[in-house]
Amino acid sequence: MVSRVRVWLNRTYAENVFFMDQLRRNPSDRAVDIHATHGDPDSPVLAAADTAELEPENLSPAGYVEYALDQCGRRGIDVFVPRLHQSAIVAHRAEFEAAGTAVLAPPPEAVAVFHDKVIAYEAVQAIGGPVPPWYRVRSEDELVAAVEELEAQGHKPCFKPASGAGGVGFRVITRTPFSLMHLSGFPGPYVPLDLVLEALRQAEEPVDWLVMPRLEQPEVSVDCLTGPDNRVRLAVGRTKNGRRRGFTLHEQWLDPARRIAEGFGLHYLSNIQFRMFGDRPVLMDVNTRPAGGLHQLSLCGVNAPWAAVQLALGEDPGEVVPPFLGQDYTVVSGPRPLRQVSLPQQRPETTEPLPAVPSSAAAEQAGAVGAAAQKAPLPGLAASVSRHTGLST
């Protein structure tokens, strides 16, 4: 009899409720139990998991590793998919393996390279990978010099933190003075240069920014599955151009992604993003973790989360080739059940686990919302997470 697989996702993105769904609907028909932890009691991943706990706050990376080792031991975790404190966790991979847990993440050397975007660009350029021009900026004078040089070349300068993920801190620099125009409509990424310079003058600490030309669409995120032998098993590009999303197997995107994944040992699931610089694709970012939109590959008949878990368990799925490319689609928001009662933030000394919310009860839980609301209003009954909808082409 094949044993049940126990998978843990720590403090992950709301969209990974779909990652969890795919693990349960795996083509091997293998029983999967999912454990989830988070700092937000209203994270939908807690409701989607079979068992769940709130994470203690304010742990150092070393303290978090101890917490994670305890979770794996107490919960009998077979495969751990870390997002929070990934660097610290992979540095202790041997301890997790000794506890019987496979860590679904690249080795520490690969994680370190792509934690800092400047180091990443230098490393990728050294192996012949396509990168845009960039400048590392820590002061007002360095920012002005970088902006002027990019503008002289006809580019629109932008900046983002040298370390970070998900587009946090990304801004496009403009020479247009601040006016009511900037206060009309929805907030945008544009920020006047004079305001940025003033903020730098008043800052108590230096910034660490990457300044570069604004890259153009399409944006292509290549999801890769790479084995511990550094051989890529899966590479599929997800295209984004405005609202329209699609898929590609064109080598102008896949070839550099494979070279990066194999060259730096990005084991298991990674996401390598490109945009256009003039008439050629260049690297935008590398994520050493599963992308939030990884589940969208299901539209191509691919279950990437399960193939990754198989690799982590030593069960090589072989080359994973999409049987077809799904039609173009868009992403919209939809409701997802939460735990029926919103809990306060956990105190560090609290160790009681959250009650399990079985996935099979999702429909019943959603149906009970209306009845419960008639008796007493509950805060935050549903979370908005991304769903995909096909477009006619």
Side-chain angles (χ1 to χ4, degrees):
M1 180 177 178
V2 180
S3 61
R4 182 178 298 267
V5 180
R6 188 86 165 127
V7 181
W8 173 27
L9 282 75
N10 77 333
R11 204 173 297 205
T12 191
Y13 305 109
E15 267 199 322
N16 273 338
V17 294
F18 303 123
F19 186 104
M20 297 157 75
D21 290 344
Q22 285 192 280
L23 288 181
R24 293 191 177 104
R25 296 196 301 264
N26 66 81
S28 303
D29 200 25
R30 185 94 171 260
V32 177
D33 277 346
I34 299 174
H35 181 55
T37 58
H38 209 284
D40 179 2
D42 287 335
S43 169
V45 299
L46 296 181
D50 297 288
T51 58
E53 289 187 24
L54 286 171
E55 294 185 354
E57 299 295 333
N58 303 317
L59 287 179
S60 66
Y64 194 90
V65 169
E66 292 301 315
Y67 162 79
L69 284 165
D70 177 70
Q71 285 282 308
C72 290
R74 287 194 300 111
R75 295 288 184 176
I77 301 300
D78 298 302
V79 179
F80 178 20
V81 187
R83 190 199 65 83
L84 183 66
H85 292 308
Q86 187 190 67
S87 297
I89 289 163
V90 297
H92 292 266
R93 186 187 302 271
E95 295 172 50
F96 286 95
E97 290 177 347
T101 300
V103 178
L104 201 153
E109 299 80 11
V111 173
V113 166
F114 294 103
H115 177 73
D116 184 299
K117 291 181 173 59
V118 171
I119 294 175
Y121 278 13
E122 290 174 343
V124 170
Q125 189 174 39
I127 66 167
V131 297
W134 79 91
Y135 306 85
R136 190 166 205 159
V137 163
R138 293 188 173 92
S139 68
E140 175 186 352
D141 290 342
E142 289 178 348
L143 176 63
V144 170
V147 167
E148 289 180 346
E149 187 162 345
L150 286 171
E151 288 179 335
Q153 298 170 18
H155 303 308
K156 188 177 295 183
C158 62
F159 66 87
K160 56 186 175 181
S163 60
V168 175
F170 171 80
R171 298 292 186 274
V172 180
I173 293 175
T174 176
R175 297 279 187 168
T176 305
F178 186 80
S179 68
L180 286 176
M181 178 188 70
H182 293 92
L183 302 178
S184 301
F186 293 103
Y190 290 90
V191 57
L193 177 61
D194 58 341
L195 295 186
V196 179
L197 296 176
E198 181 61 28
L200 288 174
R201 294 184 196 108
Q202 297 181 14
E204 297 180 358
E205 298 180 356
V207 297
D208 189 7
W209 288 343
L210 193 71
V211 178
M212 56 192 294
R214 183 175 187 182
L215 304 176
E216 301 302 323
Q217 293 186 331
E219 178 179 320
V220 177
S221 294
V222 181
D223 293 308
C224 292
L225 175 63
T226 308
D229 58 359
N230 292 344
R231 183 167 60 84
V232 170
R233 308 300 200 274
L234 167 72
V236 181
R238 289 183 288 113
T239 66
K240 179 180 178 182
N241 200 338
R243 284 185 179 272
R244 182 170 289 271
R245 311 288 180 94
F247 304 99
T248 181
L249 295 177
H250 199 292
E251 285 299 321
Q252 71 172 342
W253 312 103
L254 269 54
D255 177 67
R258 287 195 199 94
R259 278 190 283 151
I260 292 169
E262 294 179 346
F264 295 98
L266 295 179
H267 300 167
Y268 304 111
L269 291 168
S270 61
N271 176 255
I272 304 171
Q273 302 172 356
F274 301 90
R275 272 196 174 222
M276 298 299 293
F277 179 60
D279 59 355
R280 67 188 182 102
V282 293
L283 180 68
M284 185 169 69
D285 206 356
V286 175
N287 295 309
T288 59
R289 52 165 176 76
L294 180 69
H295 63 279
Q296 293 161 12
L297 294 187
S298 63
L299 296 176
C300 299
V302 170
N303 189 326
W306 178 246
V309 166
Q310 285 183 294
L311 263 182
L313 294 173
E315 305 166 5
D316 196 331
E319 186 177 2
V320 182
V321 179
F324 53 86
L325 291 184
Q327 71 178 65
D328 285 2
Y329 63 102
T330 191
V331 174
V332 297
S333 295
R336 189 82 183 192
L338 294 183
R339 290 174 45 76
Q340 292 190 8
V341 178
S342 179
L343 300 178
Q345 289 290 339
Q346 182 186 25
R347 296 184 178 89
E349 66 271 16
T350 301
T351 57
E352 287 298 315
L354 295 174
V357 182
S359 60
S360 60
E364 289 82 356
Q365 182 183 15
V369 163
Q374 293 177 4
K375 296 179 181 179
L378 296 177
L381 293 176
S384 179
V385 293
S386 294
R387 299 295 298 252
H388 46 258
T389 302
L391 290 175
S392 298
T393 54

